[in-house]
Amino acid sequence: MASFATGLLCRECGETYPAEARYSCEFCFGPLEVDYDLDAAQGVVTRESIEAGPNSIWRYEALLPDPGAEPVDLGAGWTPLRRATRLAEVLGVKELWLKDDTRNPTGSFKDRVVSCALSSARRLGFTTAACASTGNLATSVAAHAAFIGWPSVTIIPSDLEKSKIAMTAIFGGTVLGVEGNYDDVNRLCVELVAEHPGWAFANVNLRPYYAEGSKTLAFEICEQLGWTQPDQVVVPLASGSQFTKIAKGFAQFRELGLVEGPAPVLFGAQASGCSPIATAFTEGAEVVTPQKPNTIARSLAIGNPADGPYVLDALRQNGGDCGSVSDEEVLECIGLLAQTEGVFAETAGGVTIAALRQMVRRGTIDPNKSIVAIISGHGLKTLDAVVDTATVSATITPSLASAQEALRSLQIESAS
Ligand SMILES: *Cc1c(COP(=O)(O)O)cnc(C)c1O
Ligand SMILES: [Zn+2]
């Protein structure tokens, strides 16, 4: 089915543009987003038409930017939504679901947005894939570029986790490590866009198309809940793009009559070492004040979040809240999630679970209503964070006596 995308729309002044390579408004410099003709889609985009699609984000092609001849599809999306009964019990909530986006081709939710961005980039005649990244985006861009035979230039802070650098470099593109933080990287990329017109920076000049990929999280959650919306969703925040587009995804499904009921309440999750949105929310501030990040949750370490103001508005209008958790809580909750549900998440997943727990404790998340937690990246991506604590229980010699002695001192009963 063809896409019902009509073009670009200014998020500030409403000016419209064709679906071309443009990312800010000529009149007000506001950010642009992809617009759709949902009236035309009424009755054409149905539960049945979606269910007949592929097991990837492209089952929602009608509600994504036009990919051109064929999408760049490495298999992003259609990840499991798991009922988490054991974790729910520990957290004291009734109905908890994990949207397990560790299961994407390169192990993070970024595959959704990159698949969208590079599909549009190819349609628009770009020839090189690029991005400013906190790590996961670089990996996904490099992988998708390799998949279509494009060169890639990915730009990251040089002190990122070794595992994320390796996971990016292995795909053979150019990886530039910047001596600075993500906000420095992003500024640099805005300058590079002007110098390299053939380069598609997924999250800079392709950002309107990139951002749409996050809607598929909302689409999948609805479909996997039997075409119903959850009551509450906890979303990790970096630039805030995922959050705003999850809200847009639920809204589009409601408008098309694919699901019913009120908008789910969305909750944000940040690490206290980089919590510009949580801070503005709790202080009741008008604006999001940039911070200098210092947290192990590197994938969320954006001190000056582009979508921050939109997230803040949404949190205030819809009765949401935003958690802010310490690195110790992040590590504890990576363990808690692994030990109760068998799901190994990266630091961002620890942030989501720790923030969820915090907001249940302070009563802003209703424990009696359904909750979906977005687990956005795989634990193998941030192994550095846990290698010192997740180790062998004991080191023994290869003898029965040594094993038995170790088991005794660990108080492991022979009957169990
Ligand atoms: C990028 C990222 C996010 C959130 O990104 P936004 O910029 O807020 O859209 C969440 N989790 C992980 C693991 C990420 O890599
Ligand atoms: Zn405008």
Side-chain angles (χ1 to χ4, degrees), residues 109-110 136 236-242 299-300 346 348 376-377:
F109 110 95
K110 289 297 194 304
N136 289 331
L237 303 173
S239 74
S241 176
Q242 183 189 128
S299 55
L300 304 181
E346 73 146 79
S376 52

Side-chain angles (χ1 to χ4, degrees), residues 30 34 66 72 82 103 161 189 195 223 255 257 310 327 414:
V34 179
D66 177 12
V72 176
R82 309 174 185 282
R103 297 305 190 92
E161 296 98 332
C189 286
E195 300 292 323
E223 198 179 339
E255 197 170 332
Y310 300 104
D327 285 357
S414 53

Side-chain angles (χ1 to χ4, degrees), residues 15-51:
E15 183 67 30
T16 58
Y17 300 89
E20 58 195 19
R22 176 192 293 278
Y23 65 106
S24 69
C25 179
E26 272 183 9
F27 298 94
C28 75
F29 302 107
L32 305 182
E33 69 174 334
V34 179
D35 197 18
Y36 298 83
D37 186 353
L38 292 188
D39 289 338
Q42 289 285 348
V44 184
V45 180
T46 60
R47 292 177 180 180
E48 293 71 27
S49 74
I50 289 170
E51 284 165 353

